[in-house]
Amino acid sequence: SQKIEQNSEALNIQEGKTATLTCNYTNYSPAYLQWYRQDPGRGPVFLLLIRENEKEKRKERLKVTFDTTLKQSLFHITASQPADSATYLCALTLGGSQGNLIFGKGTKLSVKP
Amino acid sequence: DARVTQTPRHKVTEMGQEVTMRCQPILGHNTVFWYRQTMMQGLELLAYFRNRAPLDDSGMPKDRFSAEMPDATLATLKIQPSEPRDSAVYFCASGLVLGSGGHTVYNEQFFGPGTRLTVL
């Protein structure tokens, strides 16, 4: 069956450390993989997009990797801050689709000062 | 600052009543999506439109849900009759999808603030 799994429902880390979130998928062939951030009571906000032929993308303190052999994406936040506390969602866009996203259930990140 | 807007932000209604949710996508975006979010299921796609044409609504119960896009500035999601299991947060998102087939370029989606629906 097809599924997207994010490694854990919750991740607690200390301020200043690197947070690493995992997204694994099964029986999908995504053309794109995206990461979104969602704060309580708000809609998801786009962070990064990586294409199937890309290995890594960076944006400021964020880095995402995409391994289509392992069917896995890793999302890193370096020098984490309490303001990074939120739920992070990975989402797949399938090739040939109309751009609709298939979401994982998210990982709730808490960064403690 | 362009953003997706949704109304109402909150809706409490009784079972059997009709509910209509509205969305104004970002001007210039050609694709509009409706998602539903619950604790159990996470974010699920209900329906989407490209250039106002419905592309897929297989994610929603056909007998009670309907989605329309009467013009480029308005998308609606209607539930009639509503049931307690419809209680969730409903998000509208818009985006720009360019090209077609193997030359399709997908871009990020911009989400609205959501409509929190409670059906008693």
Side-chain angles (χ1 to χ4, degrees):
Chain A
S1 63
Q2 296 175 315
K3 55 183 177 181
I4 304 171
E5 292 180 311
Q6 294 192 238
N7 58 326
S8 57
E9 287 188 15
L11 181 64
N12 299 310
I13 65 167
Q14 205 67 33
E15 182 177 9
K17 301 293 186 184
T18 295
T20 298
L21 285 66
T22 305
C23 176
N24 295 291
Y25 57 93
T26 307
N27 292 328
Y28 283 116
S29 295
Y32 291 61
L33 191 144
Q34 302 185 31
W35 284 87
Y36 286 76
R37 168 183 173 143
Q38 188 173 23
D39 292 282
R42 295 180 178 267
V45 174
F46 171 77
L47 296 175
L48 281 169
L49 177 154
I50 188 165
R51 295 173 174 79
E52 60 179 334
N53 59 352
E54 297 176 318
K55 296 289 187 191
E56 182 179 297
K57 260 301 182 52
R58 289 175 186 262
K59 179 182 174 183
E60 297 173 353
R61 294 185 296 112
L62 310 180
K63 184 179 84 170
V64 62
T65 63
F66 193 12
D67 189 326
T68 55
T69 301
L70 289 178
K71 297 187 184 299
Q72 180 182 78
S73 175
L74 298 178
F75 178 77
H76 306 272
I77 305 175
T78 58
S80 60
Q81 305 165 0
D84 295 326
S85 299
T87 295
Y88 291 85
L89 302 160
C90 76
L92 307 180
T93 300
L94 303 182
S97 73
Q98 293 296 330
N100 55 294
L101 294 172
I102 304 169
F103 279 91
K105 291 194 176 176
T107 295
K108 185 175 181 180
L109 174 66
S110 295
V111 181
K112 306 295 184 189
Chain B
D1 187 24
R3 59 183 66 189
V4 175
T5 58
Q6 289 184 247
T7 57
R9 292 294 313 277
H10 302 273
K11 177 72 176 179
V12 179
T13 192
E14 293 190 346
M15 183 173 62
Q17 296 298 304
E18 178 179 299
V19 175
T20 298
M21 292 169 270
R22 293 176 174 80
C23 166
Q24 182 172 8
I26 292 174
L27 192 64
H29 284 180
N30 62 355
T31 312
V32 175
F33 306 85
W34 282 105
Y35 294 91
R36 175 171 63 185
Q37 187 174 41
T38 60
M39 289 294 291
M40 290 297 294
Q41 300 298 328
L43 265 168
E44 301 174 290
L45 179 70
L46 296 175
Y48 55 102
F49 299 78
R50 185 167 178 184
N51 297 321
R52 294 178 53 206
L55 290 182
D56 190 338
D57 60 2
S58 59
M60 63 185 195
K62 303 284 192 313
D63 57 337
R64 300 185 300 109
F65 284 59
S66 62
E68 295 180 348
M69 207 165 167
D71 63 61
T73 64
L74 177 65
T76 62
L77 180 67
K78 187 177 295 186
I79 308 175
Q80 167 64 18
S82 57
E83 297 181 0
R85 59 180 167 152
D86 300 329
S87 298
V89 181
Y90 290 80
F91 288 104
C92 172
S94 71
L96 193 59
V97 178
L98 303 172
S100 62
H103 303 285
T104 303
V105 176
Y106 307 100
N107 296 289
E108 70 267 32
Q109 292 184 17
F110 294 80
F111 282 75
T115 294
R116 180 174 294 276
L117 174 65
T118 302
V119 183
L120 303 174

